[in-house]
Amino acid sequence: THPTVVGSTFREAVDAAKRDLKFLVVYVHSPHHEDTAPFCRDTLCTEVMKDFVDDNFVFWMGCISLPEGYKAATMLRASTYPYLAVITSSPDNHTTVCDAHQGAVSREDLMNWLMTIMETQGPQLVAARAEVEERAMDRRLREEQDQAFQQSLLEDQEREARAEEEERRESLRRSIEETAKAEAEALEAHRLETEAQAAREREAERARLRG
């Protein structure tokens, strides 16, 4: 069992390593080289190596007899096999080969080589990871602040809308009351005028009868 391969293409593996802020270990496989079989059996395809690489790196491998592997071998200038390279990718997409190992290597020597790279160049990744995490935290803080502002704005708008609605209802209530009052006053005035007119008519009729 070899380390877990990430991505179907070399470019995908580079992008994954950049995203995860890890070193990328690239293995170029030459099926017909005399050192390939013992390397795969005794070094690469062991549980110890699989666990170590999976825990600390992004891993990709390609075969030189296939287009993607051949392209990677050409780009990395592999001259003998087994070929391994450790790669980093900067935020501006600049890919750098930290170191490369060509030829037969034991499991212990390979792990020591990888650990040395981690120790000497790992702090750069740690710093980059801290920078990315800080930017992510700042972005989350801004998003939370924006969300809180938008929520506060929405609540203010809702309060204003409720106040306007209450004011509209109160204005309508006062208008109805004033209209009802005016109508009642008009009816009362009309009643009083009718009664007064009737009284005058009765008085006039009594005066006519007396005369």
Side-chain angles (χ1 to χ4, degrees):
T1 301
H2 56 68
T4 303
V5 177
V6 176
S8 59
T9 66
F10 175 75
R11 185 71 254 174
E12 289 177 357
V14 170
D15 291 341
K18 177 186 173 184
R19 183 182 62 251
D20 296 343
L21 290 172
K22 287 185 174 182
F23 289 109
L24 170 63
V25 174
V26 175
Y27 166 56
V28 180
H29 181 75
S30 177
H32 304 299
H33 194 281
E34 61 183 1
D35 292 327
T36 296
F39 170 76
C40 290
R41 181 185 64 248
D42 302 327
T43 301
L44 185 65
C45 299
T46 61
E47 287 294 335
V48 173
M49 183 59 66
K50 171 180 168 53
D51 293 343
F52 175 70
V53 173
D54 285 352
D55 289 344
N56 298 284
F57 301 89
V58 171
F59 179 77
W60 183 83
M61 67 179 182
C63 180
I64 61 171
S65 60
L66 299 175
E68 191 66 25
Y70 180 79
K71 183 170 66 175
T74 302
M75 183 179 64
L76 296 171
R77 298 179 181 177
S79 59
T80 189
Y81 302 91
Y83 177 90
L84 293 121
V86 178
I87 294 171
T88 59
S89 183
S90 62
D92 59 0
N93 290 323
H94 181 67
T95 301
T96 303
V97 177
C98 300
D99 200 0
H101 192 290
Q102 304 189 79
V105 60
S106 68
R107 183 180 63 192
E108 291 74 16
D109 288 345
L110 179 58
M111 291 182 69
N112 288 334
W113 176 66
L114 291 173
M115 284 190 287
T116 298
I117 293 175
M118 289 174 61
E119 292 170 359
T120 57
Q121 303 191 46
Q124 299 175 14
L125 280 181
V126 172
R129 187 179 295 112
E131 182 179 351
V132 168
E133 290 175 351
E134 182 178 359
R135 287 200 301 267
M137 184 178 297
D138 289 342
R139 184 172 61 253
R140 285 195 300 271
L141 180 60
R142 287 194 301 271
E143 290 174 351
E144 290 173 358
Q145 290 174 338
D146 290 344
Q147 184 177 2
F149 173 77
Q150 292 297 331
Q151 181 64 28
S152 176
L153 181 62
L154 178 60
E155 291 173 356
D156 288 343
Q157 292 172 340
E158 290 176 346
R159 279 194 296 271
E160 290 177 2
R162 286 195 298 269
E164 290 176 357
E165 178 64 17
E166 287 296 326
E167 184 178 353
R168 186 189 68 81
R169 290 179 179 178
E170 180 62 20
S171 176
L172 179 60
R173 185 188 63 79
R174 288 196 302 267
S175 176
I176 292 172
E177 289 179 351
E178 290 172 357
T179 300
K181 182 180 178 181
E183 290 177 350
E185 290 176 348
L187 287 172
E188 180 64 16
H190 178 70
R191 184 185 66 78
L192 293 175
E193 176 60 26
T194 300
E195 290 179 352
Q197 179 64 29
R200 286 193 296 270
E201 291 177 351
R202 286 194 299 273
E203 184 62 28
E205 180 62 22
R206 284 196 294 270
R208 185 182 66 80
L209 292 173
R210 285 195 302 268

